Amino acid sequence: MKNEMHSQRGASLMEALIAVVLMSMCALGYAALQARGLSSNSSSMWRSKATLLAYEMSDRMRGNKPGTDAGSYNDLSGVAAAVTDCGTTSACAPARMALYDHYVWNQAIGRELPSARGVVCLDSTPDDGNSAAAACDGVGSTYAVKIFWQERGVDSRLA
């Protein structure tokens, strides 16, 4: 009887040690899951902002139908200087209004998205390009609104 008690010594300590190891592994797994969820939330926030900004430019183009029909929004890829005679007066030519819209829109993109720029152009293949080259081919009658930004060092795009 004395030998049986001797062989059982430390069993509860071993069970407690195994339980602590398992609990710590579960806690690490939960922390990794939370970090991945946070990363996904951040990515979806940038994409939502880009979508809203693309709709904003589309609305600006709908508001300036004569400028859109004349092709004034085509290939405004660089951030133009501020057009001071538009936005506050009603006597603004449609082509100048397109420049103003593009300038204000790119300012908003720069505030809302990291290292971002926007391009509006005629493009038959809108789902291409990157922040260095928008890949607008000028073909077709449909405008593409493209937004490029950096997300954790990786180029992201919405067209």
Side-chain angles (χ1 to χ4, degrees), residues 70-149:
S72 300
Y73 286 92
N74 186 29
D75 208 16
L76 297 174
S77 57
V79 178
V83 178
T84 57
D85 62 342
C86 291
T88 56
T89 66
S90 59
C92 184
R96 300 233 355 123
M97 191 63 182
L99 288 172
Y100 176 77
D101 286 344
H102 188 260
Y103 174 77
V104 171
W105 180 61
N106 263 294
Q107 293 298 312
I109 288 173
R111 282 190 309 272
E112 296 291 327
L113 297 170
S115 301
R117 76 179 193 100
V119 177
V120 177
C121 60
L122 292 171
D123 196 359
S124 62
T125 57
D127 201 21
D128 60 355
N130 56 41
S131 60
C136 294
D137 59 17
V139 177
S141 61
T142 304
Y143 281 98
V145 178
K146 299 180 179 185
I147 300 175
F148 306 99
W149 72 95

Side-chain angles (χ1 to χ4, degrees), residues 1-136:
M1 187 100 105
K2 195 172 187 183
N3 275 344
E4 279 182 31
M5 283 182 81
H6 185 50
S7 66
Q8 292 292 324
R9 266 177 94 189
S12 358
L13 186 59
M14 187 61 99
E15 289 173 0
L17 181 63
I18 290 171
V20 167
V21 168
L22 285 176
M23 290 296 288
S24 59
M25 290 177 74
C26 290
L28 285 173
Y30 181 73
L33 185 65
Q34 288 294 322
R36 176 158 256 200
L38 205 66
S39 172
S40 295
N41 282 345
S42 173
S43 179
S44 100
M45 178 191 66
W46 297 127
R47 191 153 298 279
S48 294
K49 285 183 178 188
T51 302
L52 290 172
L53 288 163
Y55 277 120
E56 178 187 334
M57 186 51 148
S58 298
D59 287 341
R60 287 178 177 277
M61 291 172 70
R62 279 190 285 277
N64 185 6
K65 185 96 168 98
T68 303
D69 291 343
S72 300
Y73 286 92
N74 186 29
D75 208 16
L76 297 174
S77 57
V79 178
V83 178
T84 57
D85 62 342
C86 291
T88 56
T89 66
S90 59
C92 184
R96 300 233 355 123
M97 191 63 182
L99 288 172
Y100 176 77
D101 286 344
H102 188 260
Y103 174 77
V104 171
W105 180 61
N106 263 294
Q107 293 298 312
I109 288 173
R111 282 190 309 272
E112 296 291 327
L113 297 170
S115 301
R117 76 179 193 100
V119 177
V120 177
C121 60
L122 292 171
D123 196 359
S124 62
T125 57
D127 201 21
D128 60 355
N130 56 41
S131 60
C136 294

